[in-house]
Amino acid sequence: MANMLSTSALLILESSLNKLIATDSVTVAALAKLSGRVIEFKVTDAPIHCYILPYTQGVELQQHYQSDADATLTGSLKHFRELTLSEDSSEHFFGNGISISGDTQLAATFSRIMNNAKIDWQGIIACVSGDLVAAELANLFNRSKTQFNITKDSLELNIAEYLQEEARTLPSPVEIE
């Protein structure tokens, strides 16, 4: 029964991903170049293990695959989540949370394709809610993202200053020199 639920969830995820990917012709073309290759994902602290098979229209997700994968990415759920939210995916590999075995170039190419995907979220929302609501949600999201980045940068600076000046746990750049 659990296997049937996992298969159903994988099929729903695959269908949803392919609908999103279909909104970006550049991503579709880039994935088509990886057709015939297999990328395995293993999450170490959750029962998540699947294979991604790129093809000309998107990706196919499978629970089992007969042969060895071309590239395997292994890591914790936390590290995979951080990878999806990160601007620079390279900081999460090579001993920093997610390990890659097999064809590292394939893994890097796939990661780059997914990071550069330009999903038309506003168009997808507009199909459901109409153009006006979609435009307002897009504006709200963009303003929130900008404010989040400003807050994050400010917090990083304040923490660094506190640790250097107030708590004296980190030396300042002048003290390091």
Side-chain angles (χ1 to χ4, degrees):
M1 182 69 166
N3 193 26
M4 188 183 296
L5 288 174
S6 296
T7 302
S8 297
L10 213 53
L11 288 172
I12 291 168
L13 179 61
E14 177 185 310
S15 175
S16 299
L17 279 173
N18 285 329
K19 285 178 184 173
L20 293 173
I21 290 169
T23 66
D24 181 12
S25 61
V26 174
T27 299
V28 171
L31 286 171
K33 292 178 184 175
L34 299 182
S35 186
R37 308 299 302 272
V38 179
I39 303 148
E40 179 181 15
F41 282 86
K42 292 181 185 177
V43 179
T44 56
D45 58 350
I48 300 171
H49 182 202
C50 70
Y51 297 87
I52 297 179
L53 292 79
Y55 70 103
T56 57
Q57 300 299 315
V59 294
E60 181 181 335
L61 302 179
Q62 293 185 5
Q63 278 186 305
H64 306 286
Y65 191 73
Q66 305 87 318
S67 302
D68 290 335
D70 297 304
T72 301
L73 295 118
T74 307
S76 69
L77 191 57
K78 172 186 172 240
H79 287 116
F80 276 114
R81 185 185 38 156
E82 289 172 354
L83 173 66
T84 61
L85 299 173
S86 176
E87 294 286 326
D88 179 19
S89 62
S90 64
E91 67 188 33
H92 298 283
F93 296 109
F94 307 110
N96 294 326
I98 298 174
S99 65
I100 303 173
S101 60
D103 186 347
T104 57
Q105 186 63 40
L106 171 62
T109 301
F110 182 76
S111 178
R112 190 171 39 258
I113 290 169
M114 298 315 288
N115 283 339
N116 292 334
K118 303 288 186 231
I119 306 299
D120 181 14
W121 293 105
Q122 188 172 343
I124 293 168
I125 293 170
C127 289
V128 175
S129 65
D131 290 337
L132 183 60
V133 172
E136 286 301 315
L137 284 173
N139 288 336
L140 175 66
F141 175 76
N142 289 333
R143 286 192 308 268
S144 298
K145 185 177 176 184
T146 301
Q147 186 58 47
F148 174 78
N149 287 332
I150 291 169
T151 303
K152 179 182 75 88
D153 293 343
S154 175
L155 185 60
E156 287 173 357
L157 288 172
N158 286 334
I159 289 173
E161 182 182 342
Y162 172 78
L163 291 174
Q164 289 174 346
E165 303 297 329
E166 302 296 327
R168 302 291 234 172
T169 57
L170 292 178
S172 68
V174 173
E175 292 172 325
I176 291 173
E177 289 177 13

